[in-house]
């Protein structure tokens, strides 16, 4: 078991504080992720809808890049428009 653990967010909140006022936490965080701590250890990460959608777009872009690289140099077909 590791004594230290990396937290991948600049903002942290306890489970208790999140339960008390979730909208205030989101207001303070803006579009940045919030690490939700349980007994001082990250249990979850909270993202705004805007940040989550941007993350999904990035994943989609990376998937497309991977597909392009896999197909690069493959068979081509001439088309006339």
């Amino acid at each position: 078991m590791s004594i230290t653990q990396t937290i991948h967010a600049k903002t942290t909140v306890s489970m208790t504080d999140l339960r008390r006022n979730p909208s205030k936490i989101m207001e303070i965080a803006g579009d940045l992720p919030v690490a939700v701590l349980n007994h001082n250890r990250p249990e979850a990460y909270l993202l705004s809808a805007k940040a989550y959608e941007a993350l999904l777009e990035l994943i989609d872009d990376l998937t497309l890049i991977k597909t392009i690289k896999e197909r690069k140099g493959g068979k081509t077909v001439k088309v006339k428009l």
Side-chain angles (χ1 to χ4, degrees), residues 60-70:
D60 189 41
D61 290 347
L62 292 173
T63 303
L64 289 173
I65 289 169
K66 180 181 175 189
T67 302
I68 291 167
K69 286 182 178 181
E70 288 172 353

Side-chain angles (χ1 to χ4, degrees), residues 20-59:
R20 285 183 187 147
N21 200 348
S23 60
K24 184 68 173 176
I25 301 300
M26 292 306 298
E27 180 185 321
I28 292 169
D31 290 328
L32 298 174
V34 176
V36 181
L37 305 180
N38 187 20
H39 300 288
N40 292 323
R41 291 204 170 123
E43 186 73 25
Y45 288 92
L46 183 62
L47 295 173
S48 68
K50 183 178 176 182
Y52 181 72
E53 289 164 3
L55 186 60
L56 290 178
E57 284 291 324
L58 180 61
I59 292 168

